[in-house]
Each structure stands twice: as C-alpha cells, then as structure tokens.
Amino acid sequence: MNNPANSLYCIENLVKNYRGRRVLDVDRLDIRAGEILALVGPSGSGKSTLLRLMNFLEPPDEGGLRFHGQLFRAGQEMPLELRRKVTMVFQSPMLLDRSVKDNVRFGLELRGQNHAADLIQSTLEEVGLAGLANQKARTLSGGEAQRVALARAMVLRPEALLLDEPTANLDPYNVGLIERIATGLNRKHGTTLVLVTHNVFQAKRLAHRVAFLLEGKVIEVADTEAFFNHPADPRTAAFVRGDMVY
C-alpha cells in the first residue's frame, strides 16, 4: 500500500462488516493534506462507517488505511500521537453537563494541557460563543450546542477534522455559521476536512473534491466542478440529477 506524497490518508482494499453484512468495501481512496473532501451518497452507503475507521474508533475487517504513512488495520493500532492528530464532530453534539468553557477545555485536560485559557477564549470567539462561556452547555439551542462541539474539536488543533452531517438538523443561520467556521479553519490552519453530507448544495459550496459512495463502494471521486458538471459514472450522474440510484 503506497502513500502518495501529498496524501494524508491512503485507503486501500478496506472492508467493514456488521452482523455478517458488508457495509464498506473501498478499493482505493486517497485524501490530500489540506483539502476539503465531501462524502455524498444515499443513507446506508457507508459514509459514516468510513469516518469512524478514519478516526480509528474501530478497525477494518480486511485491508487498511495509512495515516501519515502509518498503517492501521485489524490487529495493528494507530499510535497515540497520530490518533491525536484527528478528531470528529458528530451530527448530534454530545456535551458534558458543564459550562460551555469547560466543555471546550475537556479534551485539552485529557491531554494534560491545563494552561490553555487564551486558546479556549480565542476558539470561543471564532465560533461566536465567547459571551456564553459560563452558561451550561445543555441549555443551549441546537445550533449553539453544535458550535460548542465544533469548538471542542478545533481547540485541539487537529490535522484532520471529520464532520458527520454537522448541520443536518440546524436552521439556515447556524448552517451558514458552521460552514464559515469550517472553511475558515481550512484556510487559516490548513486543516484537512472530510465532510459527510446529504446536502449536495453544501458539498458544492464547501468541497474541493467530492466522493460518491453507493452500497459501501466509492463510485467516483472528482474535483467538485467536474463531479457536478461532468460526472464520469452514470450512477454519479443520476445521483447529481436527484434520481433514485439505490
């Protein structure tokens, strides 16, 4: 399994099964350092499963992936120093029964970074929550709670940020805020973003490249303009048109 020079992830022959059913079967997918890659496709196509493997939450059943050239597969763990370069934000924010500030501090504390008040403050300012720093996180609106979850990930300064439908249940105002925060993180820090979304318009707005998954397989990967305007695979073309492909 080769790892091209500009690839942060190299995924090859990656298989994941649940209860005897193959839910992911990726022949090859390279994710470039510093890009925004959108993963699109119908529900159940394996997008969220792929993110979980990229976050090293569970091992593949066959094949593997390389991150920074280090192989991750069944029976071979990713070293802690590399695991810490990746973090994930889920569709439903899982917040502690603490203040906004303490939620953002939590990951830093786990890493022994106990003197990061300025970093926490600047991150809260980036997500527009500095004025709510001392409020209980579980009293916030859905959009505010998701921005707390995003801030908790951002404050760790990950090289790769994995976003699993982060705006699926939010109002347009918070969708716009989170999109601007995420793209700003990519521009300012060069953070690699991998975004699972059912919203093809969001993929078109944010992504440098788009990958289409169907029945656990990567059908097509292309630069965003080519993906939407000149898809190479007829199944991709049908998906882009809004036709049923499953």
Side-chain angles (χ1 to χ4, degrees):
M1 185 188 296
N2 296 319
N3 208 71
N6 68 335
S7 291
L8 187 61
Y9 284 93
C10 178
I11 298 165
E12 193 169 5
N13 300 320
L14 187 71
V15 171
K16 188 65 182 178
N17 302 308
Y18 288 130
R19 300 182 183 89
R21 185 172 71 90
R22 182 159 295 192
V23 297
L24 197 64
D25 188 358
V26 177
D27 292 335
R28 179 78 186 216
L29 178 63
D30 293 330
I31 299 170
R32 302 165 184 166
E35 76 169 332
I36 302 177
L37 175 71
L39 303 178
V40 301
S43 296
S45 58
K47 305 182 298 297
S48 294
T49 299
L50 179 56
L51 279 198
R52 289 181 60 81
L53 269 64
M54 290 173 60
N55 199 30
F56 321 118
L57 294 175
E58 52 189 285
D61 293 307
E62 299 174 28
L65 62 85
R66 288 189 183 274
F67 177 72
H68 271 291
Q70 178 71 39
L71 182 61
F72 175 63
R73 62 183 178 186
Q76 188 164 348
E77 293 286 331
M78 184 61 62
L80 179 61
E81 63 269 23
L82 291 180
R83 292 173 69 98
R84 286 181 165 179
K85 293 180 182 290
V86 183
T87 192
M88 187 166 171
V89 175
F90 297 89
Q91 179 176 335
S92 299
M94 295 175 285
L95 302 181
L96 303 169
D97 190 19
R98 303 180 183 179
S99 70
V100 167
K101 181 170 56 180
D102 287 344
N103 268 270
V104 176
R105 180 184 291 118
F106 181 68
L108 294 170
E109 288 181 337
L110 290 178
R111 298 183 181 192
Q113 296 173 244
N114 298 313
H115 304 286
D118 290 345
L119 177 58
I120 293 167
Q121 177 65 23
S122 64
T123 304
L124 286 173
E125 289 171 358
E126 282 186 74
V127 300
L129 293 174
L132 300 177
N134 296 311
Q135 185 166 327
K136 282 282 191 179
R138 291 183 178 176
T139 67
L140 300 177
S141 70
E144 291 166 343
Q146 190 64 297
R147 281 186 277 147
V148 174
L150 186 57
R152 187 170 57 190
M154 290 167 55
V155 78
L156 300 174
R157 293 290 185 258
E159 285 192 35
L161 178 59
L162 312 179
L163 302 168
D164 192 0
E165 292 278 3
T167 63
N169 301 315
L170 303 184
D171 61 276
Y173 171 75
N174 276 288
V175 170
L177 271 180
I178 287 173
E179 288 185 357
R180 287 194 294 274
I181 292 163
T183 54
L185 191 64
N186 173 260
R187 287 194 301 270
K188 183 177 179 180
H189 299 290
T191 308
T192 302
L193 302 182
V194 183
L195 167 71
V196 166
T197 181
H198 280 97
N199 186 335
V200 293
F201 300 104
Q202 184 173 68
K204 189 180 290 189
R205 285 194 300 270
L206 303 186
H208 302 132
R209 292 194 303 152
V210 181
F212 174 50
L213 275 72
L214 184 65
E215 296 179 339
K217 294 183 176 293
V218 175
I219 302 301
E220 183 167 351
V221 187
D223 290 348
T224 301
E225 190 276 335
F227 183 91
F228 285 104
N229 296 320
H230 308 287
D233 190 284
R235 291 165 294 181
T236 308
F239 177 79
V240 168
R241 288 196 305 268
D243 295 346
M244 299 287 284
V245 291
Y246 38 97

Short mmCIF file of all heavy atoms in Angstrom, two decimals, residues 168-212:
data_model
loop_
_atom_site.label_atom_id
_atom_site.label_comp_id
_atom_site.label_asym_id
_atom_site.label_seq_id
_atom_site.Cartn_x
_atom_site.Cartn_y
_atom_site.Cartn_z
N ALA A 168 -27.07 18.93 9.82
CA ALA A 168 -28.26 18.26 9.30
C ALA A 168 -29.56 18.79 9.90
O ALA A 168 -30.57 18.89 9.22
CB ALA A 168 -28.16 16.76 9.52
N ASN A 169 -29.54 19.12 11.19
CA ASN A 169 -30.78 19.49 11.88
C ASN A 169 -30.84 20.97 12.27
O ASN A 169 -31.60 21.34 13.18
CB ASN A 169 -30.96 18.62 13.13
CG ASN A 169 -31.00 17.15 12.79
OD1 ASN A 169 -31.68 16.73 11.87
ND2 ASN A 169 -30.26 16.34 13.54
N LEU A 170 -30.05 21.80 11.60
CA LEU A 170 -29.91 23.19 12.03
C LEU A 170 -30.63 24.15 11.10
O LEU A 170 -30.88 23.86 9.93
CB LEU A 170 -28.42 23.55 12.10
CG LEU A 170 -27.55 22.68 13.02
CD1 LEU A 170 -26.14 23.23 13.06
CD2 LEU A 170 -28.14 22.58 14.42
N ASP A 171 -30.91 25.33 11.64
CA ASP A 171 -31.53 26.40 10.86
C ASP A 171 -30.50 27.02 9.92
O ASP A 171 -29.29 26.87 10.12
CB ASP A 171 -32.09 27.46 11.82
CG ASP A 171 -30.99 28.07 12.66
OD1 ASP A 171 -30.64 27.47 13.70
OD2 ASP A 171 -30.44 29.12 12.27
N PRO A 172 -30.95 27.72 8.88
CA PRO A 172 -30.02 28.27 7.90
C PRO A 172 -28.95 29.18 8.49
O PRO A 172 -27.80 29.19 8.02
CB PRO A 172 -30.93 29.05 6.94
CG PRO A 172 -32.24 28.33 7.03
CD PRO A 172 -32.36 27.90 8.46
N TYR A 173 -29.30 29.96 9.54
CA TYR A 173 -28.31 30.85 10.15
C TYR A 173 -27.14 30.05 10.71
O TYR A 173 -25.97 30.36 10.45
CB TYR A 173 -28.97 31.67 11.26
CG TYR A 173 -27.99 32.47 12.10
CD1 TYR A 173 -27.41 33.63 11.60
CD2 TYR A 173 -27.63 32.05 13.38
CE1 TYR A 173 -26.50 34.37 12.35
CE2 TYR A 173 -26.73 32.78 14.14
CZ TYR A 173 -26.17 33.93 13.63
OH TYR A 173 -25.27 34.65 14.39
N ASN A 174 -27.43 28.99 11.48
CA ASN A 174 -26.36 28.20 12.07
C ASN A 174 -25.63 27.35 11.03
O ASN A 174 -24.43 27.09 11.16
CB ASN A 174 -26.91 27.33 13.20
CG ASN A 174 -26.99 28.08 14.51
OD1 ASN A 174 -25.98 28.37 15.14
ND2 ASN A 174 -28.21 28.43 14.93
N VAL A 175 -26.36 26.91 10.00
CA VAL A 175 -25.68 26.21 8.90
C VAL A 175 -24.61 27.11 8.30
O VAL A 175 -23.46 26.71 8.11
CB VAL A 175 -26.69 25.77 7.82
CG1 VAL A 175 -25.96 25.27 6.57
CG2 VAL A 175 -27.61 24.69 8.35
N GLY A 176 -24.99 28.36 8.01
CA GLY A 176 -24.03 29.31 7.43
C GLY A 176 -22.85 29.57 8.34
O GLY A 176 -21.70 29.63 7.89
N LEU A 177 -23.13 29.74 9.65
CA LEU A 177 -22.06 29.97 10.61
C LEU A 177 -21.07 28.81 10.62
O LEU A 177 -19.84 29.00 10.56
CB LEU A 177 -22.64 30.14 12.02
CG LEU A 177 -23.03 31.53 12.48
CD1 LEU A 177 -23.58 31.46 13.90
CD2 LEU A 177 -21.83 32.48 12.44
N ILE A 178 -21.59 27.59 10.72
CA ILE A 178 -20.71 26.43 10.83
C ILE A 178 -19.93 26.22 9.54
O ILE A 178 -18.74 25.87 9.57
CB ILE A 178 -21.53 25.18 11.24
CG1 ILE A 178 -21.92 25.32 12.71
CG2 ILE A 178 -20.76 23.89 11.00
CD1 ILE A 178 -22.85 24.26 13.22
N GLU A 179 -20.57 26.47 8.41
CA GLU A 179 -19.84 26.37 7.14
C GLU A 179 -18.69 27.38 7.09
O GLU A 179 -17.57 27.04 6.67
CB GLU A 179 -20.79 26.57 5.97
CG GLU A 179 -21.73 25.40 5.74
CD GLU A 179 -22.58 25.58 4.50
OE1 GLU A 179 -22.47 26.64 3.84
OE2 GLU A 179 -23.34 24.65 4.18
N ARG A 180 -18.93 28.61 7.53
CA ARG A 180 -17.87 29.62 7.52
C ARG A 180 -16.76 29.27 8.50
O ARG A 180 -15.58 29.47 8.20
CB ARG A 180 -18.45 31.00 7.84
CG ARG A 180 -19.29 31.59 6.71
CD ARG A 180 -19.57 33.07 6.91
NE ARG A 180 -20.42 33.32 8.07
CZ ARG A 180 -21.75 33.30 8.04
NH1 ARG A 180 -22.37 32.99 6.92
NH2 ARG A 180 -22.45 33.56 9.12
N ILE A 181 -17.12 28.75 9.66
CA ILE A 181 -16.11 28.35 10.65
C ILE A 181 -15.24 27.24 10.08
O ILE A 181 -14.00 27.27 10.19
CB ILE A 181 -16.79 27.91 11.96
CG1 ILE A 181 -17.47 29.10 12.65
CG2 ILE A 181 -15.76 27.27 12.91
CD1 ILE A 181 -18.48 28.69 13.71
N ALA A 182 -15.88 26.25 9.47
CA ALA A 182 -15.13 25.09 8.95
C ALA A 182 -14.20 25.49 7.81
O ALA A 182 -13.02 25.10 7.79
CB ALA A 182 -16.10 24.01 8.49
N THR A 183 -14.71 26.27 6.86
CA THR A 183 -13.86 26.68 5.75
C THR A 183 -12.76 27.64 6.22
O THR A 183 -11.64 27.60 5.70
CB THR A 183 -14.68 27.33 4.64
OG1 THR A 183 -15.47 28.41 5.18
CG2 THR A 183 -15.61 26.32 3.99
N GLY A 184 -13.05 28.46 7.23
CA GLY A 184 -12.02 29.32 7.79
C GLY A 184 -10.92 28.52 8.45
O GLY A 184 -9.73 28.88 8.36
N LEU A 185 -11.28 27.43 9.11
CA LEU A 185 -10.29 26.55 9.73
C LEU A 185 -9.38 25.94 8.68
O LEU A 185 -8.16 25.85 8.85
CB LEU A 185 -11.03 25.45 10.50
CG LEU A 185 -10.24 24.56 11.45
CD1 LEU A 185 -9.67 25.37 12.60
CD2 LEU A 185 -11.14 23.45 11.99
N ASN A 186 -9.97 25.56 7.56
CA ASN A 186 -9.18 25.00 6.46
C ASN A 186 -8.22 26.04 5.89
O ASN A 186 -7.03 25.76 5.66
CB ASN A 186 -10.13 24.48 5.39
CG ASN A 186 -9.42 24.04 4.13
OD1 ASN A 186 -9.39 24.77 3.14
ND2 ASN A 186 -8.85 22.85 4.14
N ARG A 187 -8.71 27.26 5.69
CA ARG A 187 -7.86 28.30 5.10
C ARG A 187 -6.79 28.77 6.07
O ARG A 187 -5.64 28.97 5.70
CB ARG A 187 -8.72 29.50 4.66
CG ARG A 187 -9.56 29.26 3.42
CD ARG A 187 -10.10 30.57 2.89
NE ARG A 187 -10.91 31.26 3.89
CZ ARG A 187 -12.22 31.10 4.04
NH1 ARG A 187 -12.87 30.26 3.24
NH2 ARG A 187 -12.89 31.76 4.97
N LYS A 188 -7.15 28.97 7.33
CA LYS A 188 -6.24 29.56 8.31
C LYS A 188 -5.17 28.58 8.78
O LYS A 188 -4.00 28.94 8.92
CB LYS A 188 -7.04 30.07 9.51
CG LYS A 188 -6.21 30.77 10.57
CD LYS A 188 -7.11 31.30 11.70
CE LYS A 188 -6.28 31.97 12.78
NZ LYS A 188 -7.15 32.48 13.89
N HIS A 189 -5.59 27.34 9.03
CA HIS A 189 -4.66 26.37 9.63
C HIS A 189 -4.29 25.23 8.68
O HIS A 189 -3.48 24.38 9.04
CB HIS A 189 -5.28 25.78 10.90
CG HIS A 189 -5.56 26.79 11.97
ND1 HIS A 189 -4.56 27.44 12.66
CD2 HIS A 189 -6.73 27.28 12.45
CE1 HIS A 189 -5.11 28.27 13.54
NE2 HIS A 189 -6.41 28.20 13.42
N GLY A 190 -4.89 25.20 7.49
CA GLY A 190 -4.60 24.10 6.57
C GLY A 190 -5.19 22.78 7.02
O GLY A 190 -4.73 21.71 6.58
N THR A 191 -6.20 22.83 7.88
CA THR A 191 -6.81 21.61 8.41
C THR A 191 -7.50 20.85 7.28
O THR A 191 -8.26 21.42 6.50
CB THR A 191 -7.85 21.96 9.49
OG1 THR A 191 -7.24 22.81 10.46
CG2 THR A 191 -8.37 20.69 10.17
N THR A 192 -7.23 19.56 7.20
CA THR A 192 -7.92 18.69 6.26
C THR A 192 -9.31 18.41 6.80
O THR A 192 -9.47 17.96 7.93
CB THR A 192 -7.15 17.38 6.07
OG1 THR A 192 -5.82 17.67 5.63
CG2 THR A 192 -7.84 16.48 5.06
N LEU A 193 -10.34 18.67 5.99
CA LEU A 193 -11.72 18.43 6.40
C LEU A 193 -12.32 17.33 5.54
O LEU A 193 -12.21 17.36 4.31
CB LEU A 193 -12.57 19.70 6.23
CG LEU A 193 -12.13 20.96 6.98
CD1 LEU A 193 -13.14 22.08 6.72
CD2 LEU A 193 -12.01 20.70 8.46
N VAL A 194 -12.93 16.36 6.19
CA VAL A 194 -13.70 15.33 5.49
C VAL A 194 -15.13 15.45 6.00
O VAL A 194 -15.39 15.26 7.20
CB VAL A 194 -13.14 13.92 5.72
CG1 VAL A 194 -13.94 12.90 4.91
CG2 VAL A 194 -11.67 13.87 5.33
N LEU A 195 -16.04 15.78 5.10
CA LEU A 195 -17.41 16.13 5.45
C LEU A 195 -18.39 15.13 4.86
O LEU A 195 -18.45 14.97 3.64
CB LEU A 195 -17.72 17.54 4.90
CG LEU A 195 -19.18 17.99 4.87
CD1 LEU A 195 -19.67 18.26 6.30
CD2 LEU A 195 -19.32 19.24 4.01
N VAL A 196 -19.13 14.44 5.72
CA VAL A 196 -20.27 13.64 5.26
C VAL A 196 -21.49 14.53 5.23
O VAL A 196 -21.82 15.20 6.22
CB VAL A 196 -20.51 12.44 6.21
CG1 VAL A 196 -21.89 11.82 5.95
CG2 VAL A 196 -19.43 11.40 6.04
N THR A 197 -22.16 14.58 4.08
CA THR A 197 -23.35 15.42 3.97
C THR A 197 -24.33 14.80 2.98
O THR A 197 -23.93 14.19 1.98
CB THR A 197 -22.99 16.85 3.52
OG1 THR A 197 -24.19 17.63 3.44
CG2 THR A 197 -22.26 16.88 2.20
N HIS A 198 -25.64 14.94 3.29
CA HIS A 198 -26.68 14.58 2.34
C HIS A 198 -27.06 15.78 1.47
O HIS A 198 -27.84 15.63 0.53
CB HIS A 198 -27.93 14.08 3.08
CG HIS A 198 -27.82 12.67 3.53
ND1 HIS A 198 -27.43 12.32 4.81
CD2 HIS A 198 -28.02 11.50 2.88
CE1 HIS A 198 -27.42 11.00 4.92
NE2 HIS A 198 -27.77 10.49 3.77
N ASN A 199 -26.52 16.93 1.80
CA ASN A 199 -26.87 18.16 1.11
C ASN A 199 -25.87 18.40 -0.02
O ASN A 199 -24.75 18.85 0.20
CB ASN A 199 -26.84 19.32 2.12
CG ASN A 199 -27.32 20.63 1.53
OD1 ASN A 199 -27.26 20.85 0.32
ND2 ASN A 199 -27.80 21.51 2.39
N VAL A 200 -26.28 18.10 -1.25
CA VAL A 200 -25.35 18.23 -2.37
C VAL A 200 -24.98 19.69 -2.60
O VAL A 200 -23.88 19.99 -3.09
CB VAL A 200 -25.92 17.60 -3.66
CG1 VAL A 200 -26.03 16.10 -3.52
CG2 VAL A 200 -27.24 18.22 -4.05
N PHE A 201 -25.86 20.62 -2.24
CA PHE A 201 -25.53 22.03 -2.38
C PHE A 201 -24.43 22.42 -1.41
O PHE A 201 -23.56 23.24 -1.72
CB PHE A 201 -26.78 22.89 -2.17
CG PHE A 201 -27.87 22.60 -3.14
CD1 PHE A 201 -28.99 21.88 -2.77
CD2 PHE A 201 -27.78 23.03 -4.46
CE1 PHE A 201 -30.00 21.60 -3.67
CE2 PHE A 201 -28.78 22.76 -5.38
CZ PHE A 201 -29.89 22.03 -4.98
N GLN A 202 -24.45 21.85 -0.22
CA GLN A 202 -23.37 22.10 0.74
C GLN A 202 -22.05 21.55 0.22
O GLN A 202 -21.01 22.21 0.32
CB GLN A 202 -23.72 21.46 2.08
CG GLN A 202 -22.72 21.74 3.18
CD GLN A 202 -23.19 21.22 4.53
OE1 GLN A 202 -23.28 20.02 4.73
NE2 GLN A 202 -23.51 22.13 5.44
N ALA A 203 -22.09 20.35 -0.32
CA ALA A 203 -20.87 19.78 -0.91
C ALA A 203 -20.32 20.68 -2.01
O ALA A 203 -19.11 20.92 -2.10
CB ALA A 203 -21.17 18.38 -1.46
N LYS A 204 -21.22 21.20 -2.84
CA LYS A 204 -20.80 22.07 -3.94
C LYS A 204 -20.20 23.37 -3.40
O LYS A 204 -19.23 23.89 -3.96
CB LYS A 204 -22.00 22.37 -4.84
CG LYS A 204 -21.65 23.08 -6.13
CD LYS A 204 -22.89 23.34 -6.98
CE LYS A 204 -23.44 22.06 -7.56
NZ LYS A 204 -24.53 22.33 -8.56
N ARG A 205 -20.76 23.90 -2.31
CA ARG A 205 -20.26 25.15 -1.73
C ARG A 205 -18.88 24.99 -1.08
O ARG A 205 -18.03 25.88 -1.18
CB ARG A 205 -21.22 25.67 -0.66
CG ARG A 205 -22.48 26.31 -1.17
CD ARG A 205 -23.21 27.08 -0.07
NE ARG A 205 -23.60 26.25 1.06
CZ ARG A 205 -24.76 25.61 1.16
NH1 ARG A 205 -25.64 25.68 0.18
NH2 ARG A 205 -25.06 24.90 2.24
N LEU A 206 -18.68 23.88 -0.38
CA LEU A 206 -17.54 23.78 0.52
C LEU A 206 -16.36 22.98 -0.02
O LEU A 206 -15.21 23.29 0.31
CB LEU A 206 -17.98 23.15 1.85
CG LEU A 206 -19.11 23.82 2.63
CD1 LEU A 206 -19.28 23.13 3.97
CD2 LEU A 206 -18.86 25.30 2.80
N ALA A 207 -16.63 21.94 -0.77
CA ALA A 207 -15.59 20.94 -1.03
C ALA A 207 -14.68 21.30 -2.19
O ALA A 207 -15.11 21.91 -3.18
CB ALA A 207 -16.25 19.58 -1.30
N HIS A 208 -13.44 20.88 -2.07
CA HIS A 208 -12.50 20.92 -3.19
C HIS A 208 -12.73 19.70 -4.09
O HIS A 208 -12.62 19.79 -5.31
CB HIS A 208 -11.06 20.92 -2.69
CG HIS A 208 -10.73 22.05 -1.79
ND1 HIS A 208 -10.08 21.91 -0.59
CD2 HIS A 208 -10.99 23.39 -1.89
CE1 HIS A 208 -9.93 23.08 0.00
NE2 HIS A 208 -10.48 24.00 -0.78
N ARG A 209 -13.00 18.55 -3.44
CA ARG A 209 -13.32 17.32 -4.18
C ARG A 209 -14.52 16.65 -3.53
O ARG A 209 -14.81 16.87 -2.35
CB ARG A 209 -12.14 16.35 -4.18
CG ARG A 209 -10.92 16.81 -4.97
CD ARG A 209 -9.94 15.65 -5.20
NE ARG A 209 -9.52 15.06 -3.94
CZ ARG A 209 -9.15 13.78 -3.80
NH1 ARG A 209 -9.19 12.96 -4.84
NH2 ARG A 209 -8.76 13.33 -2.61
N VAL A 210 -15.18 15.81 -4.30
CA VAL A 210 -16.35 15.08 -3.82
C VAL A 210 -16.18 13.60 -4.15
O VAL A 210 -15.75 13.26 -5.26
CB VAL A 210 -17.65 15.62 -4.45
CG1 VAL A 210 -18.87 14.87 -3.90
CG2 VAL A 210 -17.80 17.12 -4.20
N ALA A 211 -16.53 12.74 -3.18
CA ALA A 211 -16.53 11.30 -3.40
C ALA A 211 -17.95 10.78 -3.24
O ALA A 211 -18.63 11.12 -2.26
CB ALA A 211 -15.60 10.60 -2.41
N PHE A 212 -18.39 9.98 -4.18
CA PHE A 212 -19.74 9.40 -4.17
C PHE A 212 -19.66 7.95 -3.74
O PHE A 212 -18.97 7.14 -4.37
CB PHE A 212 -20.36 9.53 -5.56
CG PHE A 212 -21.69 8.85 -5.70
CD1 PHE A 212 -22.71 9.06 -4.78
CD2 PHE A 212 -21.93 8.00 -6.78
CE1 PHE A 212 -23.94 8.43 -4.93
CE2 PHE A 212 -23.16 7.38 -6.94
CZ PHE A 212 -24.17 7.58 -6.00
#
